[in-house]
Amino acid sequence: MAVAMASAANCGVYFSSNTNKLNFPVFDFKNHSWSAAFVTTPPNILEKRSVRLSFSMMGIIPRATSSATAVESDGSFQDTDTVPTPKVIIDQDSDPDATVVEITFGDRLGALLDTMNALKNLGLNVSKANVYLDSSGKHNKFAITKASTGRKVEEPELLEAIRLTIINNLLEYHPESSSQLAMGATFGVEPPKEKVDVDIATHIRVDDDGSDRSLLYVETADRPGLLVDLVKIITDINITVESGEFDTEGLLAKAKFHVSYKGKAIIRPLQQVKSNEH
């Protein structure tokens, strides 16, 4: 993901641009500073911010239009069934030429033609890659490129619009998913029965990913605009986001970014900074 960032609203989550004596960035959470390699559950890291961006973004999300031929549900379930956990994966790693999207909602999803048409309304080319079944249900995969360039989607705002479009259609065609999605609290018919405590749910980890880059993992409570905010936070301290994957799993969001700092991996220098502090 060669990031081309546009402006975003103020966010309650922030990484500090403060540097230490070795001139490497330090992640700063609510007046506490730790090297990124050692952060597990920092307090209040991703607290809910102003949703001006979220609602303005939802305003441009195309709603699906029902048609006689477009089938979003295969009708194979009953109302008494346990509602599965919806999953939406935005994958920038597996295909160098396209953004791969995977949608799973147990065995309840049909052809998803309306979802494909809604994504095309964002100025995208959408092709059905494949469908496969496993113990978690039916996985629908799409390959997405920008209609204007024929290339994969790079802009965080458009990637977030793709994610929210898919979730919006899930809420419309499968209202039972509302109680299983964080977006259901704002845009669904039934809010989740339990709210995720951001302090408890947030985890950050940095791992090795070769000599020139690192893997940054973030898991936290989901909300509209989260993907855009995370990328902005990272790039604001001059960390380069090369590619990644952003998963929505029910109430949680799980991001994996391939990152580098001035062309180098970030975990070892930060570990050195941490060791020099003791």
Side-chain angles (χ1 to χ4, degrees), residues 247-269:
D247 302 350
T248 306
E249 296 187 15
L251 304 180
L252 296 175
K254 301 178 180 180
K256 177 186 72 175
F257 298 113
H258 299 276
V259 297
S260 62
Y261 180 69
K262 296 184 178 180
K264 298 296 182 182
I266 65 174
I267 185 169
R268 286 174 182 162

Side-chain angles (χ1 to χ4, degrees), residues 3-267:
V3 179
M5 278 303 308
S7 61
N10 290 332
C11 177
V13 188
Y14 58 93
F15 291 105
S16 172
S17 59
N18 296 335
T19 55
N20 43 59
K21 58 187 177 182
L22 292 183
N23 202 31
F24 291 102
V26 173
F27 298 138
D28 187 13
F29 309 115
K30 294 294 181 183
N31 301 320
H32 296 278
S33 297
W34 297 279
S35 299
F38 296 87
V39 174
T40 54
T41 53
N44 298 323
I45 171 179
L46 291 176
E47 65 185 14
K48 192 170 182 179
R49 58 160 176 84
S50 166
V51 293
R52 285 178 297 169
L53 171 65
S54 308
F55 283 100
S56 64
M57 184 173 288
M58 288 304 291
I60 65 170
I61 301 303
R63 295 184 66 82
T65 54
S66 14
S67 67
T69 58
V71 179
E72 296 287 291
S73 170
D74 64 8
S76 62
F77 66 93
Q78 315 219 343
D79 289 341
T80 55
D81 287 350
T82 301
V83 179
T85 299
K87 296 182 181 179
V88 178
I89 297 174
I90 309 291
D91 177 8
Q92 293 286 82
D93 283 342
S94 60
D95 190 325
D97 301 316
T99 297
V100 177
V101 172
E102 182 177 323
I103 310 170
T104 308
F105 188 43
D107 60 356
R108 303 188 178 204
L109 298 179
L112 296 178
L113 298 182
D114 282 316
T115 295
M116 292 176 68
N117 287 332
L119 292 172
K120 290 176 182 177
N121 289 337
L122 293 173
L124 302 169
N125 296 321
V126 184
S127 60
K128 198 70 171 285
N130 59 61
V131 177
Y132 68 93
L133 294 169
D134 63 15
S135 58
S136 65
K138 182 165 67 173
H139 300 252
N140 294 265
K141 276 193 171 184
F142 304 92
I144 296 177
T145 56
K146 295 178 67 174
S148 59
T149 63
R151 297 180 179 178
K152 70 192 302 179
V153 179
E154 302 283 2
E155 300 85 350
E157 292 83 1
L158 187 51
L159 290 169
E160 180 71 340
I162 291 170
R163 187 176 80 98
L164 295 183
T165 296
I166 294 169
I167 291 173
N168 182 58
N169 282 14
L170 269 173
L171 293 171
E172 180 173 351
Y173 287 95
H174 294 274
E176 74 275 13
S177 69
S178 178
S179 63
Q180 304 293 314
L181 288 164
M183 310 295 182
T186 306
F187 306 110
V189 297
E190 180 184 354
K193 293 180 174 60
E194 296 183 8
K195 296 188 71 173
V196 176
D197 188 319
V198 177
D199 292 345
I200 296 174
T202 299
H203 303 269
I204 298 175
R205 190 176 85 248
V206 183
D207 289 343
D208 282 324
D209 188 26
S211 59
D212 296 330
R213 64 182 190 176
S214 301
L215 269 175
L216 172 63
Y217 296 92
V218 181
E219 178 178 329
T220 191
D222 190 26
R223 57 172 171 76
L226 180 60
L227 191 157
V228 175
D229 288 339
L230 285 176
V231 174
K232 177 171 173 52
I233 290 162
I234 297 167
T235 57
D236 275 354
I237 56 170
N238 299 317
I239 290 180
T240 302
V241 179
E242 299 177 14
S243 63
E245 181 179 308
F246 194 93
D247 302 350
T248 306
E249 296 187 15
L251 304 180
L252 296 175
K254 301 178 180 180
K256 177 186 72 175
F257 298 113
H258 299 276
V259 297
S260 62
Y261 180 69
K262 296 184 178 180
K264 298 296 182 182
I266 65 174
I267 185 169

